[in-house]
Amino acid sequence: AFQTVDPAIPPAGRPYGRLPQVLFTLRPKPFGPGLLGGLDAEYDYFDHNHRVHGQRIAMRPSLSWPLRRSYGHLIPSASVQAASYSLVDAVADQPSDPGHVIPTFDVDGKLVLERQIGWLGDAALQTIEPRLYYLYTPFRDQSDTPVFDSTELTFGFSNLFRSNRFTGRDRIGDANQLTTALTSRTLKATTGEELFRLSVGQIFYFADRRVQIQGPEETATTSPYTGELSALLMDNWTGRASFEWDPKEDDDPWGRRSVQIQYRSPDNLRLLNLAYRFDQGTSDATRYEDTDVSLRLPVGNRVELVGRWLYSLLDDRTTEAFAGIEFGQCCWKLRVLGRHFKSSPEDAGTNSVMLQLELAGLGSFGSSVNRFLQEEIYGYQVD
């Protein structure tokens, strides 16, 4: 279950509780000559006092035939997304027991071409990796199915090769499309450490995307270009960037972009993140531009400092900031953290204090500060 702390959220807009949720996963197992079979299944009772709610049973059996070689791979696969509902307080003229059975077929192919080069005076290996990914999912009308846990994925390079453009089990996107991508890597010849990587990709659509959560059908024949860049800048310093470029947009073709620089010590105890992010969004409510600074700094053997400052350049104000300190030794740790947070630009903000005492072998008491830090500071790892 989830607690909403913003009183402006109406009761009907609050999230569903999963009371209970049961997950079952069968990892890929050999099934016939060269075939791998797997299964994901899930049972949920989605609870809500002001909206349609009820039970959902969903499963996804899959079968693939991976052909892997040192110079690339070819992986055809097929799966079926099946779901059945038993609903309470269903909307008028909507069934109380909707369901769907939707097949998906995809083929993932990749080649790896390589050559020896020099990189700043050292021997290195450069690769060129073209990749094609074809996806086909037929259209099935899902308008009578409630949206319990599905949202549309943010467009980006990492999502070019997913079999569904939605998360969750309530919406299975129809697709007839081909993803083309190209990646180039530079690897240190002696250790295989990645020194540089650039990836660019685009989707070609052969049919309109009719399944939507909100808004009209998508009719574009091509997606924007999207890509990622990462580089080892120097010892313990890395840089990452991502971008989205749409030549059909006249005002600002660079719809989404980000840049991040990270310092991480070999023992993972010292950490510094510097980031800039921009997203044009589909409206003023979804548009953002911000800077993000976070750190982890040990002081001596028993004290550690942590902090983050998230600043909105669009609104010219701090949206989140926290600072904390940890005291500890072999058998106990005490974490104290103060946080200022704004849920919206016009919000005055809230201030809170988190306190956690951890005893080795006995568990911890108080707020889960370490889990909060893992979610808020990129690269933070609990000792």
Side-chain angles (χ1 to χ4, degrees):
F2 303 90
Q3 178 185 11
T4 54
V5 297
D6 187 355
I9 298 178
R14 294 172 184 172
Y16 283 93
R18 293 182 175 93
L19 308 173
Q21 179 184 62
V22 181
L23 305 175
F24 174 81
T25 301
L26 178 65
R27 295 181 179 177
K29 301 290 185 181
F31 184 79
L35 298 176
L36 291 178
L39 174 66
D40 293 325
E42 179 177 337
Y43 169 81
D44 296 90
Y45 185 88
F46 290 94
D47 186 61
H48 206 289
N49 294 328
H50 303 276
R51 298 170 64 183
V52 57
H53 57 282
Q55 304 178 73
R56 184 188 69 192
I57 298 176
M59 60 179 60
R60 180 180 177 269
S62 61
L63 188 65
S64 63
W65 186 26
L67 305 173
R68 302 181 186 274
R69 300 294 185 269
S70 60
Y71 50 83
H73 66 244
L74 180 66
I75 307 175
S77 63
S79 62
V80 176
Q81 295 273 9
S84 177
Y85 296 78
S86 178
L87 304 177
V88 180
D89 297 333
V91 179
D93 301 327
Q94 294 289 339
S96 61
D97 57 348
H100 56 251
V101 178
I102 306 174
T104 292
F105 172 77
D106 62 75
V107 180
D108 187 3
K110 178 181 177 180
L111 285 176
V112 180
L113 311 175
E114 60 185 43
R115 64 168 183 168
Q116 300 287 338
I117 64 169
W119 180 268
L120 301 178
D122 296 327
L125 184 71
Q126 184 185 43
T127 70
I128 298 292
E129 305 170 22
R131 185 176 180 183
L132 295 176
Y133 177 72
Y134 175 74
L135 172 66
Y136 177 76
T137 302
F139 169 76
R140 295 290 187 271
D141 186 6
Q142 300 158 54
S143 59
D144 58 355
T145 302
V147 180
F148 288 142
D149 63 356
S150 283
T151 58
E152 188 168 5
L153 289 163
T154 300
F155 182 74
F157 186 84
S158 60
N159 292 328
L160 291 179
F161 309 97
R162 293 180 64 104
S163 61
N164 188 15
R165 62 179 180 272
F166 301 102
T167 63
R169 307 270 189 170
D170 300 315
R171 289 295 182 270
I172 309 300
D174 53 322
N176 185 5
Q177 63 192 49
L178 177 67
T179 296
T180 62
L182 184 67
T183 297
S184 178
R185 308 173 197 265
T186 301
L187 310 173
K188 186 177 292 187
T190 55
T191 64
E193 182 181 12
E194 186 176 86
L195 304 173
F196 177 85
R197 182 180 77 249
L198 173 63
S199 300
V200 180
Q202 185 184 32
I203 301 177
F204 294 88
Y205 301 107
F206 306 124
D208 298 340
R209 278 74 65 210
R210 300 170 60 185
V211 177
Q212 301 292 333
I213 294 179
Q214 292 180 342
E217 299 178 5
E218 297 180 3
T219 59
T221 57
T222 59
S223 74
Y225 293 92
T226 181
E228 295 178 338
L229 170 69
S230 67
L232 179 64
L233 304 178
M234 60 185 75
D235 289 343
N236 305 323
W237 287 88
T238 57
R240 302 179 61 189
S242 64
F243 66 89
E244 177 185 317
W245 183 68
D246 190 350
K248 297 186 293 291
E249 294 289 339
D250 297 329
D251 295 336
D252 187 0
W254 299 94
R256 185 181 294 112
R257 52 189 178 268
S258 67
V259 179
Q260 177 177 320
I261 297 175
Q262 183 185 75
Y263 170 81
R264 184 199 296 266
S265 64
D267 56 8
N268 291 324
L269 296 181
R270 291 176 174 83
L271 185 66
L272 173 65
N273 294 306
L274 307 172
Y276 165 82
R277 306 182 188 92
F278 173 82
D279 190 341
Q280 185 68 31
T282 57
S283 64
D284 291 340
T286 58
R287 186 170 184 259
Y288 66 83
E289 183 177 16
D290 57 44
T291 58
D292 192 351
V293 180
S294 58
L295 62 86
R296 178 184 190 179
L297 179 64
V299 181
N301 296 326
R302 298 185 179 182
V303 180
E304 179 177 286
L305 304 177
V306 293
R308 184 187 184 191
W309 179 29
L310 183 62
Y311 185 82
S312 172
L313 298 175
L314 287 180
D315 304 306
D316 195 22
R317 65 189 66 193
T318 297
T319 56
E320 181 180 15
F322 65 78
I325 187 170
E326 176 187 290
F327 303 90
Q329 51 185 359
C330 63
C331 55
W332 64 272
K333 286 185 179 180
L334 177 66
R335 301 181 177 97
V336 182
L337 186 143
R339 184 193 188 200
H340 175 75
F341 176 75
K342 290 185 177 182
S343 58
S344 62
E346 62 277 3
D347 186 16
T350 59
N351 298 313
S352 60
V353 176
M354 301 181 187
L355 176 66
Q356 180 183 28
L357 174 62
E358 182 176 340
L359 303 177
L362 296 178
S364 60
F365 304 91
S367 302
S368 183
V369 178
N370 52 358
R371 188 170 67 178
F372 171 81
L373 295 176
Q374 284 183 297
E375 296 174 350
E376 294 288 324
I377 299 179
Y378 178 72
Y380 183 94
Q381 298 178 3
V382 178
D383 295 344

